[in-house]
């Protein structure tokens, strides 16, 4: 008689702070505290999800104890190899989890190694993939004589090794998934290897070799960062950025889509694309920290897009360098408090500041001896674009309505000043410096508040965290009265308890309009550091560094009253600014 296997229940959503990320550069997966992989798109970041339970679709891959348990876990330092850890009444069980690294753009490999650390481990496993965000189930499922399962999942081929005893069901001839029970004696471990590919599958994966190759690759690609403040957290931030960076050099803004910034507020977006600005933040952080691989990736991707589109540079692209698809919904319930959404309306925007950020990135690359002739050609393209288009209204850093945003113009001035210092000829240096001077002068004539601080735009006298960034990048001196007054006014009006907010939406208390914006918190830390206020800078750094869950991942926003993460996970630009802040604050000068 075949024993009855009780599968893990369909996972329910957890708080975002409890999810860990595994990633290989080409795609990522979120793992919950119950061993539930509830989000993964394949074969690439912006493909449809095969595990979509996170946003109310179908599809999950769960490995969890059969008995009552409490959860913990940690990353292996300098990697995105995660160890789920569960303590039951009579055992301690770990599951080592990773995507093989670096990833193949067409072939995803999920490694899961279950180990009985103490006592006898009784584990339940359920593999229930569903392509097209849950619309397409497994087809042609079969088990070969070696106990390896294979099948089709939409346009993907699937292979699952290490699950010879798994049973299909429910679903009759077309089961929805496979379920298995395992019992491991103390000290034993068992490997599960899941492969998904949009091409023919290669030779079966040897898990021991795959684990060793993944460990070696992470060790080679993540610098030690020992001279930074909080070196382990800085390495973790670098690891997250590397895990989000594809072979093209493009780094996605986040691994997920549709996770709400605020419940029922309609602010949930698809961030599985490469924002030029975010890419430049990551490259500049890597340059500051000494992480040349990420710097080179950023330069390669940004240069390619400048050569491709010139002064019509888009704010964001797919990792392949193609246009971001139009925004649409899927008819799914969404993560609680939000709704499903893929694609992004950024594909219709002009963001002037992207050209300034590109120049800052390329100047940093030159400073490290990593800018070639192609890079210098990209410099000319970006500088010429600023000269032609700086009078046009743009959507700005926060992607709002088109205006002459102060930040956009000043950050372009910063980029021009930075690259002028490195210019290969006096003529270009003088031209770029003169354009920077003109941008600052024109902006001051229209967007300087009567109190002497910067304001958001000519027709908006409000404050904005983005106005802290241009002085940090050299648009203005640190002790320019406009710099000092802007920082003082901002910290007085748009911060609370060392948390920072972007701008004032309306007359509601800050925390009722949106969450604290962690990017802005790190910007304040850098601004205070620039002013020589080292103790205050450290307070800002430590406060915002703690705004994460046990896996140490940051989202865009942080709900300070509930201490919860809000928005897509993990948010790349927050990790980039954390890395840069950890580096710069380690050096008080």
């Amino acid at each position: 008689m075949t024993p009855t296997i009780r599968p893990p229940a369909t996972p329910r959503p957890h708080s975002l702070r409890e999810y860990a990320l595994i990633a290989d550069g080409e795609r990522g997966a979120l793992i919950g505290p119950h061993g539930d992989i509830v989000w993964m798109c394949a074969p690439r970041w912006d493909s449809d999800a095969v595990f979509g339970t996170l946003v109310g679709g179908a599809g999950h891959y769960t490995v969890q104890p059969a008995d009552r348990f409490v959860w913990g876990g940690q990353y292996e330092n300098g990697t995105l190899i995660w160890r789920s850890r569960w303590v039951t009444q009579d055992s301690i069980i770990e599951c080592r989890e990773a995507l093989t690294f670096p990833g193949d753009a067409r072939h995803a490999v999920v490694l899961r190694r279950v180990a009985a650390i103490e006592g006898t481990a009784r584990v339940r496993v359920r593999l229930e993939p569903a392509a097209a965000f849950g619309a397409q189930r497994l087809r042609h499922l079969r088990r070969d004589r070696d106990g390896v399962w294979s099948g089709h999942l939409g346009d993907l081929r699937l292979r699952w090794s290490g699950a010879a005893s798994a049973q299909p069901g429910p679903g009759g001839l077309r089961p929805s998934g496979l379920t298995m029970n395992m019992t491991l004696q103390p000290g034993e471990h068992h490997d599960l290897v899941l492969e998904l590919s949009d091409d023919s599958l290669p030779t079966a994966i040897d898990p021991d070799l795959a684990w060793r190759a993944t460990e070696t690759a992470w060790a080679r690609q993540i610098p030690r960062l020992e001279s930074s403040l909080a070196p382990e957290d800085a390495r973790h931030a670098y690891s997250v950025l590397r895990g989000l960076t594809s072979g093209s050099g493009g780094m996605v803004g986040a691994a997920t889509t549709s996770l709400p910034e605020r419940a029922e507020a309609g602010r949930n977006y698809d961030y599985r694309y490469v924002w030029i600005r975010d890419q430049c933040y990551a490259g500049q952080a890597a340059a500051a920290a000494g992480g040349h691989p990420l710097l080179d990736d950023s330069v390669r991707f940004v240069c390619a897009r400048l050569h491709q589109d010139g002064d019509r540079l888009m704010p964001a692209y797919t990792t392949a360098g193609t246009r971001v698809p139009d925004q649409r919904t899927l008819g799914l319930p969404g993560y609680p408090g939000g709704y499903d959404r893929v694609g992004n309306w950024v594909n219709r925007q002009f963001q002037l500041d992207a050209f300034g950020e590109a120049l800052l990135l390329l100047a940093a690359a030159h400073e490290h001896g990593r800018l070639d002739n192609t890079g210098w050609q990209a410099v000319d393209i970006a500088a010429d674009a600023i000269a032609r288009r700086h009078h046009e209204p743009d959507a700005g850093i926060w992607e709002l309505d088109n205006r002459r945003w102060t930040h956009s113009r000043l950050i372009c001035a910063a980029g021009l000043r930075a690259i002028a210092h490195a210019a290969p000829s006096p003529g270009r240096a003088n031209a770029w410096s003169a354009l920077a001077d003109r941008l600052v002068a024109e902006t001051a004539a229209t967007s300087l508040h009567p109190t002497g601080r910067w304001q958001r735009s000519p027709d908006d006298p409000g404050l904005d965290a983005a106005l802290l960034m241009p002085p940090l990048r050299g648009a203005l001196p640190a002790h320019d009265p406009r710099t000092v007054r802007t920082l003082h006014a901002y910290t007085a009006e748009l911060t609370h308890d060392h948390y920072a907010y972007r701008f004032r939406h309306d007359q509601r208390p800050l925390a009722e309009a949106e969450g604290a914006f962690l990017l802005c918190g790190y910007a304040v830390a850098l601004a205070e550091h620039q002013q020589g206020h080292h103790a205050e800078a450290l307070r800002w750094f430590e406060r915002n560094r703690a705004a994460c869950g046990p896996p140490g991942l940051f989202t865009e926003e942080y709900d300070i009253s509930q201490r919860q993460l809000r928005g897509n996970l993990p948010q790349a630009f927050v990790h980039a600014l954390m890395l840069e802040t950890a580096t710069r604050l380690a050096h008080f000068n």
Side-chain angles (χ1 to χ4, degrees), residues 116-157:
I117 305 302
E118 291 184 16
T120 300
R122 292 176 291 277
V123 177
R124 296 200 302 261
V125 181
R126 175 71 175 172
L127 173 64
E128 189 174 323
F133 293 97
Q136 299 175 0
R137 301 285 182 154
L138 274 169
R139 297 177 289 115
H140 311 309
L141 186 64
R142 58 180 290 273
R143 179 173 53 193
D144 67 19
R145 65 181 63 188
D146 296 320
V148 176
W149 291 92
S150 61
H152 288 79
L153 188 65
D155 295 330
L156 301 173
R157 292 174 172 85

Short mmCIF file of all heavy atoms in Angstrom, two decimals, residues 116-157:
data_model
loop_
_atom_site.label_atom_id
_atom_site.label_comp_id
_atom_site.label_asym_id
_atom_site.label_seq_id
_atom_site.Cartn_x
_atom_site.Cartn_y
_atom_site.Cartn_z
N ALA A 116 20.22 17.21 8.22
CA ALA A 116 19.82 16.97 9.61
C ALA A 116 21.00 17.38 10.49
O ALA A 116 21.99 16.65 10.59
CB ALA A 116 19.46 15.51 9.82
N ILE A 117 20.91 18.53 11.12
CA ILE A 117 22.02 19.04 11.95
C ILE A 117 22.03 18.34 13.30
O ILE A 117 23.08 17.90 13.79
CB ILE A 117 21.89 20.56 12.13
CG1 ILE A 117 21.80 21.26 10.77
CG2 ILE A 117 23.05 21.11 12.96
CD1 ILE A 117 22.96 21.01 9.86
N GLU A 118 20.87 18.20 13.90
CA GLU A 118 20.71 17.45 15.15
C GLU A 118 19.40 16.68 15.09
O GLU A 118 18.40 17.19 14.59
CB GLU A 118 20.68 18.40 16.36
CG GLU A 118 21.99 19.07 16.67
CD GLU A 118 21.91 19.90 17.94
OE1 GLU A 118 20.94 19.71 18.72
OE2 GLU A 118 22.79 20.74 18.16
N GLY A 119 19.40 15.47 15.59
CA GLY A 119 18.20 14.67 15.62
C GLY A 119 17.80 14.18 14.23
O GLY A 119 18.48 14.42 13.23
N THR A 120 16.69 13.48 14.17
CA THR A 120 16.17 12.95 12.92
C THR A 120 15.31 14.00 12.24
O THR A 120 14.39 14.55 12.84
CB THR A 120 15.34 11.68 13.17
OG1 THR A 120 16.18 10.69 13.78
CG2 THR A 120 14.77 11.13 11.87
N ALA A 121 15.62 14.30 10.97
CA ALA A 121 14.90 15.33 10.22
C ALA A 121 13.79 14.69 9.42
O ALA A 121 14.04 13.82 8.58
CB ALA A 121 15.86 16.07 9.31
N ARG A 122 12.57 15.12 9.68
CA ARG A 122 11.41 14.70 8.87
C ARG A 122 10.94 15.91 8.08
O ARG A 122 10.57 16.94 8.65
CB ARG A 122 10.30 14.17 9.77
CG ARG A 122 10.67 12.84 10.45
CD ARG A 122 9.59 12.38 11.40
NE ARG A 122 9.51 13.25 12.58
CZ ARG A 122 10.30 13.13 13.64
NH1 ARG A 122 11.23 12.17 13.68
NH2 ARG A 122 10.16 13.96 14.66
N VAL A 123 11.00 15.78 6.76
CA VAL A 123 10.83 16.93 5.87
C VAL A 123 9.77 16.62 4.82
O VAL A 123 9.71 15.50 4.29
CB VAL A 123 12.16 17.28 5.19
CG1 VAL A 123 12.00 18.43 4.21
CG2 VAL A 123 13.22 17.62 6.23
N ARG A 124 8.94 17.62 4.52
CA ARG A 124 7.97 17.53 3.44
C ARG A 124 8.39 18.45 2.30
O ARG A 124 8.85 19.57 2.54
CB ARG A 124 6.57 17.92 3.92
CG ARG A 124 5.99 17.00 4.97
CD ARG A 124 4.48 17.14 5.03
NE ARG A 124 4.05 18.51 5.31
CZ ARG A 124 3.70 18.94 6.52
NH1 ARG A 124 3.75 18.14 7.56
NH2 ARG A 124 3.29 20.19 6.68
N VAL A 125 8.20 17.97 1.07
CA VAL A 125 8.61 18.73 -0.11
C VAL A 125 7.44 18.79 -1.08
O VAL A 125 6.75 17.78 -1.30
CB VAL A 125 9.82 18.06 -0.81
CG1 VAL A 125 10.24 18.88 -2.04
CG2 VAL A 125 10.98 17.90 0.16
N ARG A 126 7.21 19.96 -1.64
CA ARG A 126 6.19 20.12 -2.67
C ARG A 126 6.72 21.01 -3.78
O ARG A 126 7.11 22.15 -3.54
CB ARG A 126 4.91 20.75 -2.08
CG ARG A 126 3.82 21.08 -3.09
CD ARG A 126 3.16 19.84 -3.64
NE ARG A 126 2.03 20.15 -4.51
CZ ARG A 126 1.38 19.24 -5.23
NH1 ARG A 126 1.76 17.95 -5.18
NH2 ARG A 126 0.37 19.58 -5.99
N LEU A 127 6.80 20.46 -5.00
CA LEU A 127 7.16 21.24 -6.18
C LEU A 127 5.90 21.41 -7.01
O LEU A 127 5.34 20.44 -7.53
CB LEU A 127 8.24 20.52 -6.99
CG LEU A 127 8.56 21.17 -8.35
CD1 LEU A 127 9.15 22.56 -8.16
CD2 LEU A 127 9.50 20.29 -9.17
N GLU A 128 5.45 22.65 -7.13
CA GLU A 128 4.22 22.93 -7.87
C GLU A 128 4.43 24.18 -8.73
O GLU A 128 3.97 25.27 -8.40
CB GLU A 128 3.05 23.15 -6.91
CG GLU A 128 1.70 23.24 -7.60
CD GLU A 128 0.55 23.33 -6.60
OE1 GLU A 128 0.63 22.68 -5.55
OE2 GLU A 128 -0.40 24.06 -6.88
N PRO A 129 5.16 24.03 -9.83
CA PRO A 129 5.41 25.18 -10.69
C PRO A 129 4.19 25.49 -11.56
O PRO A 129 3.36 24.62 -11.83
CB PRO A 129 6.59 24.72 -11.54
CG PRO A 129 6.39 23.23 -11.66
CD PRO A 129 5.77 22.79 -10.36
N ALA A 130 4.10 26.73 -11.99
CA ALA A 130 3.00 27.13 -12.87
C ALA A 130 3.47 28.32 -13.70
O ALA A 130 3.67 29.40 -13.15
CB ALA A 130 1.76 27.49 -12.06
N ALA A 131 3.65 28.10 -14.98
CA ALA A 131 4.18 29.15 -15.84
C ALA A 131 3.13 30.23 -16.10
O ALA A 131 1.95 30.07 -15.76
CB ALA A 131 4.64 28.54 -17.17
N ALA A 132 3.58 31.32 -16.71
CA ALA A 132 2.69 32.44 -17.09
C ALA A 132 1.91 32.95 -15.90
O ALA A 132 0.71 33.16 -15.97
CB ALA A 132 1.76 32.02 -18.23
N PHE A 133 2.60 33.16 -14.76
CA PHE A 133 2.00 33.66 -13.53
C PHE A 133 0.87 32.75 -13.04
O PHE A 133 -0.07 33.21 -12.40
CB PHE A 133 1.49 35.09 -13.72
CG PHE A 133 2.57 36.10 -13.92
CD1 PHE A 133 2.92 36.51 -15.20
CD2 PHE A 133 3.26 36.63 -12.84
CE1 PHE A 133 3.94 37.45 -15.40
CE2 PHE A 133 4.27 37.57 -13.03
CZ PHE A 133 4.61 37.97 -14.31
N GLY A 134 0.98 31.45 -13.33
CA GLY A 134 0.01 30.49 -12.81
C GLY A 134 -0.95 29.94 -13.82
O GLY A 134 -1.73 29.02 -13.52
N ALA A 135 -0.92 30.46 -15.05
CA ALA A 135 -1.91 30.05 -16.05
C ALA A 135 -1.59 28.71 -16.70
O ALA A 135 -2.49 28.04 -17.22
CB ALA A 135 -2.02 31.12 -17.14
N GLN A 136 -0.32 28.28 -16.68
CA GLN A 136 0.08 27.08 -17.39
C GLN A 136 0.75 26.09 -16.43
O GLN A 136 1.73 26.43 -15.78
CB GLN A 136 1.03 27.42 -18.53
CG GLN A 136 0.42 28.35 -19.57
CD GLN A 136 1.40 28.77 -20.64
OE1 GLN A 136 2.56 28.38 -20.62
NE2 GLN A 136 0.94 29.57 -21.59
N ARG A 137 0.21 24.89 -16.37
CA ARG A 137 0.70 23.87 -15.45
C ARG A 137 1.66 22.91 -16.15
O ARG A 137 1.87 22.96 -17.36
CB ARG A 137 -0.49 23.09 -14.87
CG ARG A 137 -1.49 23.95 -14.12
CD ARG A 137 -0.96 24.34 -12.77
NE ARG A 137 -1.91 25.12 -12.00
CZ ARG A 137 -1.95 25.19 -10.68
NH1 ARG A 137 -1.05 24.54 -9.97
NH2 ARG A 137 -2.84 25.92 -10.06
N LEU A 138 2.20 21.99 -15.36
CA LEU A 138 3.13 20.98 -15.89
C LEU A 138 2.47 20.12 -16.97
O LEU A 138 1.30 19.72 -16.83
CB LEU A 138 3.59 20.07 -14.76
CG LEU A 138 4.80 20.51 -13.93
CD1 LEU A 138 4.93 19.63 -12.70
CD2 LEU A 138 6.07 20.46 -14.77
N ARG A 139 3.23 19.83 -18.02
CA ARG A 139 2.78 18.92 -19.07
C ARG A 139 3.84 17.85 -19.31
O ARG A 139 5.02 18.07 -19.04
CB ARG A 139 2.54 19.68 -20.39
CG ARG A 139 1.46 20.73 -20.33
CD ARG A 139 1.34 21.48 -21.66
NE ARG A 139 2.48 22.35 -21.90
CZ ARG A 139 3.36 22.20 -22.87
NH1 ARG A 139 3.26 21.15 -23.70
NH2 ARG A 139 4.36 23.04 -23.03
N HIS A 140 3.41 16.72 -19.83
CA HIS A 140 4.32 15.64 -20.23
C HIS A 140 5.25 15.23 -19.09
O HIS A 140 6.45 14.96 -19.30
CB HIS A 140 5.15 16.05 -21.46
CG HIS A 140 4.34 16.62 -22.58
ND1 HIS A 140 3.23 15.99 -23.09
CD2 HIS A 140 4.50 17.78 -23.29
CE1 HIS A 140 2.72 16.73 -24.08
NE2 HIS A 140 3.48 17.81 -24.20
N LEU A 141 4.72 15.15 -17.90
CA LEU A 141 5.53 14.81 -16.73
C LEU A 141 5.89 13.32 -16.76
O LEU A 141 5.00 12.46 -16.96
CB LEU A 141 4.76 15.14 -15.46
CG LEU A 141 5.50 14.97 -14.14
CD1 LEU A 141 6.68 15.93 -14.05
CD2 LEU A 141 4.54 15.19 -12.97
N ARG A 142 7.17 13.03 -16.56
CA ARG A 142 7.59 11.64 -16.55
C ARG A 142 8.80 11.48 -15.63
O ARG A 142 9.54 12.44 -15.37
CB ARG A 142 7.94 11.16 -17.97
CG ARG A 142 9.04 11.96 -18.63
CD ARG A 142 9.34 11.46 -20.04
NE ARG A 142 10.00 10.17 -20.00
CZ ARG A 142 11.31 9.98 -19.89
NH1 ARG A 142 12.12 11.03 -19.81
NH2 ARG A 142 11.82 8.78 -19.89
N ARG A 143 9.01 10.25 -15.13
CA ARG A 143 10.16 9.92 -14.29
C ARG A 143 10.97 8.85 -15.00
O ARG A 143 10.43 7.81 -15.40
CB ARG A 143 9.69 9.43 -12.92
CG ARG A 143 10.81 9.03 -11.98
CD ARG A 143 10.30 8.71 -10.60
NE ARG A 143 9.22 7.73 -10.64
CZ ARG A 143 8.41 7.45 -9.62
NH1 ARG A 143 8.55 8.08 -8.48
NH2 ARG A 143 7.46 6.55 -9.75
N ASP A 144 12.29 9.07 -15.16
CA ASP A 144 13.10 8.09 -15.86
C ASP A 144 13.57 7.01 -14.89
O ASP A 144 13.26 7.01 -13.70
CB ASP A 144 14.27 8.76 -16.59
CG ASP A 144 15.30 9.38 -15.65
OD1 ASP A 144 15.33 9.03 -14.45
OD2 ASP A 144 16.09 10.23 -16.12
N ARG A 145 14.34 6.07 -15.40
CA ARG A 145 14.76 4.92 -14.59
C ARG A 145 15.70 5.31 -13.46
O ARG A 145 15.87 4.57 -12.50
CB ARG A 145 15.42 3.88 -15.49
CG ARG A 145 16.73 4.33 -16.12
CD ARG A 145 17.30 3.25 -17.02
NE ARG A 145 16.40 2.97 -18.14
CZ ARG A 145 16.59 1.97 -18.99
NH1 ARG A 145 17.64 1.15 -18.86
NH2 ARG A 145 15.75 1.77 -19.99
N ASP A 146 16.32 6.51 -13.56
CA ASP A 146 17.17 6.99 -12.47
C ASP A 146 16.41 7.80 -11.44
O ASP A 146 17.02 8.34 -10.50
CB ASP A 146 18.31 7.84 -13.04
CG ASP A 146 19.24 7.03 -13.93
OD1 ASP A 146 19.53 5.87 -13.58
OD2 ASP A 146 19.67 7.57 -14.97
N GLY A 147 15.09 7.90 -11.62
CA GLY A 147 14.28 8.65 -10.66
C GLY A 147 14.25 10.14 -10.90
O GLY A 147 13.83 10.91 -10.02
N VAL A 148 14.71 10.60 -12.06
CA VAL A 148 14.74 12.03 -12.38
C VAL A 148 13.45 12.39 -13.11
O VAL A 148 13.08 11.74 -14.10
CB VAL A 148 15.96 12.38 -13.24
CG1 VAL A 148 15.93 13.85 -13.65
CG2 VAL A 148 17.25 12.06 -12.50
N TRP A 149 12.78 13.44 -12.63
CA TRP A 149 11.53 13.89 -13.23
C TRP A 149 11.82 14.92 -14.32
O TRP A 149 12.72 15.75 -14.18
CB TRP A 149 10.63 14.53 -12.18
CG TRP A 149 10.07 13.55 -11.17
CD1 TRP A 149 10.62 13.22 -9.97
CD2 TRP A 149 8.88 12.79 -11.30
NE1 TRP A 149 9.84 12.30 -9.32
CE2 TRP A 149 8.76 12.02 -10.11
CE3 TRP A 149 7.90 12.67 -12.28
CZ2 TRP A 149 7.70 11.15 -9.89
CZ3 TRP A 149 6.82 11.82 -12.07
CH2 TRP A 149 6.73 11.06 -10.88
N SER A 150 11.03 14.89 -15.39
CA SER A 150 11.14 15.90 -16.44
C SER A 150 9.75 16.22 -16.97
O SER A 150 8.80 15.44 -16.80
CB SER A 150 12.05 15.43 -17.58
OG SER A 150 11.54 14.26 -18.18
N GLY A 151 9.64 17.35 -17.60
CA GLY A 151 8.35 17.77 -18.15
C GLY A 151 8.47 19.12 -18.82
O GLY A 151 9.57 19.68 -18.96
N HIS A 152 7.33 19.66 -19.23
CA HIS A 152 7.28 20.96 -19.87
C HIS A 152 6.42 21.90 -19.03
O HIS A 152 5.41 21.49 -18.44
CB HIS A 152 6.72 20.86 -21.28
CG HIS A 152 7.66 20.22 -22.25
ND1 HIS A 152 7.84 18.84 -22.33
CD2 HIS A 152 8.49 20.76 -23.19
CE1 HIS A 152 8.73 18.57 -23.27
NE2 HIS A 152 9.14 19.71 -23.80
N LEU A 153 6.80 23.16 -19.05
CA LEU A 153 6.11 24.17 -18.26
C LEU A 153 6.01 25.41 -19.14
O LEU A 153 6.95 26.20 -19.23
CB LEU A 153 6.91 24.46 -16.99
CG LEU A 153 6.27 25.35 -15.94
CD1 LEU A 153 5.03 24.69 -15.34
CD2 LEU A 153 7.27 25.66 -14.83
N GLY A 154 4.86 25.56 -19.83
CA GLY A 154 4.78 26.60 -20.84
C GLY A 154 5.82 26.36 -21.90
O GLY A 154 5.90 25.26 -22.47
N ASP A 155 6.67 27.36 -22.17
CA ASP A 155 7.75 27.21 -23.15
C ASP A 155 9.04 26.70 -22.53
O ASP A 155 10.07 26.62 -23.22
CB ASP A 155 8.03 28.57 -23.82
CG ASP A 155 6.84 29.06 -24.64
OD1 ASP A 155 6.11 28.22 -25.16
OD2 ASP A 155 6.67 30.30 -24.72
N LEU A 156 9.00 26.34 -21.27
CA LEU A 156 10.20 25.90 -20.57
C LEU A 156 10.26 24.39 -20.44
O LEU A 156 9.23 23.71 -20.35
CB LEU A 156 10.25 26.51 -19.16
CG LEU A 156 10.25 28.04 -19.06
CD1 LEU A 156 10.12 28.46 -17.61
CD2 LEU A 156 11.51 28.61 -19.69
N ARG A 157 11.49 23.88 -20.41
CA ARG A 157 11.71 22.49 -20.05
C ARG A 157 12.11 22.42 -18.58
O ARG A 157 12.87 23.27 -18.10
CB ARG A 157 12.82 21.89 -20.93
CG ARG A 157 12.43 21.76 -22.39
CD ARG A 157 13.62 21.30 -23.22
NE ARG A 157 13.25 20.98 -24.59
CZ ARG A 157 13.15 21.86 -25.57
NH1 ARG A 157 13.39 23.13 -25.32
NH2 ARG A 157 12.82 21.47 -26.80
#
